[in-house]
Short mmCIF file of all heavy atoms in Angstrom, two decimals:
data_model
loop_
_atom_site.label_atom_id
_atom_site.label_comp_id
_atom_site.label_asym_id
_atom_site.label_seq_id
_atom_site.Cartn_x
_atom_site.Cartn_y
_atom_site.Cartn_z
N ILE B 5 -15.24 24.47 -5.06
CA ILE B 5 -14.90 25.87 -4.86
C ILE B 5 -13.75 26.27 -5.78
O ILE B 5 -12.84 25.49 -6.04
CB ILE B 5 -14.59 26.15 -3.38
CG1 ILE B 5 -14.51 27.64 -3.14
CG2 ILE B 5 -13.31 25.46 -2.96
CD1 ILE B 5 -14.64 28.00 -1.67
N HIS B 6 -13.83 27.46 -6.33
CA HIS B 6 -12.78 27.94 -7.22
C HIS B 6 -11.51 28.22 -6.41
O HIS B 6 -11.58 28.79 -5.31
CB HIS B 6 -13.25 29.23 -7.91
CG HIS B 6 -12.33 29.65 -9.00
ND1 HIS B 6 -11.19 30.37 -8.76
CD2 HIS B 6 -12.36 29.41 -10.33
CE1 HIS B 6 -10.56 30.57 -9.90
NE2 HIS B 6 -11.26 30.00 -10.87
N PRO B 7 -10.35 27.82 -6.92
CA PRO B 7 -9.11 27.97 -6.15
C PRO B 7 -8.89 29.40 -5.63
O PRO B 7 -8.46 29.58 -4.49
CB PRO B 7 -8.02 27.60 -7.15
CG PRO B 7 -8.69 26.71 -8.14
CD PRO B 7 -10.12 27.13 -8.20
N VAL B 8 -9.21 30.39 -6.47
CA VAL B 8 -8.99 31.77 -6.04
C VAL B 8 -9.90 32.10 -4.85
O VAL B 8 -9.47 32.70 -3.86
CB VAL B 8 -9.23 32.75 -7.21
CG1 VAL B 8 -9.11 34.19 -6.73
CG2 VAL B 8 -8.25 32.48 -8.33
N ASP B 9 -11.16 31.66 -4.95
CA ASP B 9 -12.09 31.89 -3.83
C ASP B 9 -11.65 31.13 -2.59
O ASP B 9 -11.79 31.61 -1.46
CB ASP B 9 -13.50 31.42 -4.21
CG ASP B 9 -14.06 32.23 -5.36
OD1 ASP B 9 -13.55 33.35 -5.58
OD2 ASP B 9 -14.98 31.73 -6.03
N LEU B 10 -11.15 29.93 -2.82
CA LEU B 10 -10.71 29.10 -1.70
C LEU B 10 -9.62 29.82 -0.91
O LEU B 10 -9.70 29.96 0.32
CB LEU B 10 -10.19 27.75 -2.22
CG LEU B 10 -9.50 26.85 -1.20
CD1 LEU B 10 -10.44 26.44 -0.09
CD2 LEU B 10 -8.94 25.61 -1.87
N ILE B 11 -8.62 30.29 -1.63
CA ILE B 11 -7.50 30.96 -0.96
C ILE B 11 -8.00 32.24 -0.27
O ILE B 11 -7.60 32.54 0.85
CB ILE B 11 -6.36 31.28 -1.96
CG1 ILE B 11 -5.88 29.99 -2.64
CG2 ILE B 11 -5.20 31.99 -1.26
CD1 ILE B 11 -5.40 28.92 -1.72
N ALA B 12 -8.91 32.95 -0.96
CA ALA B 12 -9.44 34.17 -0.37
C ALA B 12 -10.16 33.86 0.94
O ALA B 12 -9.97 34.54 1.95
CB ALA B 12 -10.38 34.87 -1.35
N SER B 13 -10.98 32.79 0.94
CA SER B 13 -11.69 32.39 2.16
C SER B 13 -10.71 32.09 3.28
O SER B 13 -10.90 32.50 4.42
CB SER B 13 -12.51 31.12 1.92
OG SER B 13 -13.57 31.39 1.09
N LEU B 14 -9.67 31.33 2.94
CA LEU B 14 -8.70 30.93 3.97
C LEU B 14 -7.99 32.16 4.53
O LEU B 14 -7.79 32.28 5.73
CB LEU B 14 -7.68 29.94 3.38
CG LEU B 14 -8.23 28.58 2.94
CD1 LEU B 14 -7.15 27.77 2.23
CD2 LEU B 14 -8.76 27.80 4.14
N ARG B 15 -7.61 33.07 3.62
CA ARG B 15 -6.91 34.28 4.07
C ARG B 15 -7.80 35.08 5.00
O ARG B 15 -7.37 35.56 6.05
CB ARG B 15 -6.53 35.15 2.86
CG ARG B 15 -5.27 34.67 2.17
CD ARG B 15 -4.83 35.68 1.10
NE ARG B 15 -3.54 35.32 0.55
CZ ARG B 15 -3.29 35.21 -0.76
NH1 ARG B 15 -4.24 35.44 -1.64
NH2 ARG B 15 -2.10 34.88 -1.17
N GLN B 16 -9.07 35.20 4.58
CA GLN B 16 -9.98 36.02 5.34
C GLN B 16 -10.18 35.50 6.76
O GLN B 16 -10.34 36.26 7.70
CB GLN B 16 -11.31 36.09 4.58
CG GLN B 16 -12.25 37.14 5.09
CD GLN B 16 -13.61 36.54 5.37
OE1 GLN B 16 -14.01 35.55 4.75
NE2 GLN B 16 -14.33 37.13 6.31
N LYS B 17 -10.16 34.16 6.90
CA LYS B 17 -10.36 33.57 8.22
C LYS B 17 -9.04 33.32 8.94
O LYS B 17 -9.00 32.60 9.92
CB LYS B 17 -11.12 32.24 8.08
CG LYS B 17 -12.55 32.37 7.58
CD LYS B 17 -13.46 32.63 8.74
CE LYS B 17 -14.94 32.68 8.46
NZ LYS B 17 -15.44 33.13 7.20
N HIS B 18 -7.96 33.86 8.41
CA HIS B 18 -6.62 33.67 8.99
C HIS B 18 -6.23 32.21 9.06
O HIS B 18 -5.57 31.77 10.00
CB HIS B 18 -6.55 34.29 10.39
CG HIS B 18 -6.94 35.73 10.40
ND1 HIS B 18 -6.14 36.71 9.84
CD2 HIS B 18 -8.06 36.36 10.84
CE1 HIS B 18 -6.75 37.87 9.95
NE2 HIS B 18 -7.92 37.70 10.54
N LEU B 19 -6.67 31.44 8.08
CA LEU B 19 -6.36 30.01 8.10
C LEU B 19 -5.12 29.68 7.28
O LEU B 19 -4.85 28.52 6.98
CB LEU B 19 -7.57 29.20 7.60
CG LEU B 19 -8.73 29.13 8.59
CD1 LEU B 19 -9.98 28.58 7.92
CD2 LEU B 19 -8.36 28.28 9.79
#
Side-chain angles (χ1 to χ4, degrees):
Chain B
I5 191 162
H6 190 277
V8 175
D9 296 340
L10 171 62
I11 302 303
S13 290
L14 294 173
R15 279 188 173 129
Q16 192 232 332
K17 293 274 185 329
H18 305 289
L19 287 168

